[in-house]
């Protein structure tokens, strides 16, 4: 699993978060996506590394600006881990 974090400018409310989440789901095959307008970030969990260009394009088309993209391996934590 891969965790990709996007820094996004322009989100102001929960509806903005929903627009970003929908754009990510439509652009790439993901397991989970969550966005926070307060943090200005979107976290994505996927099986494979994502295409940064496709993410930037999809989110840009909704009117938001991707300021940065970081990826790291993701290991699901167990109940007591």
């Amino acid at each position: 699993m891969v965790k990709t974090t996007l820094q996004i400018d322009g989100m102001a409310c929960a509806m903005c978060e929903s627009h970003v989440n929908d754009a990510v789901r439509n652009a790439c095959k993901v397991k989970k996506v969550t966005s926070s307008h307060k943090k200005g970030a979107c976290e994505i969990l996927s099986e494979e590394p994502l295409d940064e260009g496709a993410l930037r394009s999809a989110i840009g088309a909704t009117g938001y600006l991707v300021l940065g993209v970081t990826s790291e391996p993701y290991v699901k934590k167990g109940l007591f881990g």
Side-chain angles (χ1 to χ4, degrees), residues 15 27 29 42 65 67:
M15 187 56 77
K29 186 175 178 183
C42 175
L65 178 63
L67 301 174

Side-chain angles (χ1 to χ4, degrees), residues 6-75:
L6 309 174
Q7 295 301 317
I8 301 175
D9 185 40
M11 291 192 296
C13 62
M15 187 56 77
C16 296
E17 295 170 359
S18 179
H19 288 155
V20 168
N21 291 347
D22 288 344
V24 169
R25 285 187 193 102
N26 290 332
C28 302
K29 186 175 178 183
V30 300
K31 289 284 194 182
K32 182 178 178 182
V33 58
T34 58
S35 297
S36 170
H37 69 278
K38 291 181 181 179
K39 294 180 183 177
C42 175
E43 292 186 352
I44 306 163
L45 297 180
S46 59
E47 292 290 337
E48 301 292 326
L50 301 176
D51 179 7
E52 182 178 332
L55 288 172
R56 286 182 183 272
S57 177
I59 292 172
T62 61
Y64 306 102
L65 178 63
V66 178
L67 301 174
V69 179
T70 57
S71 294
E72 61 187 276
Y74 176 78
V75 178

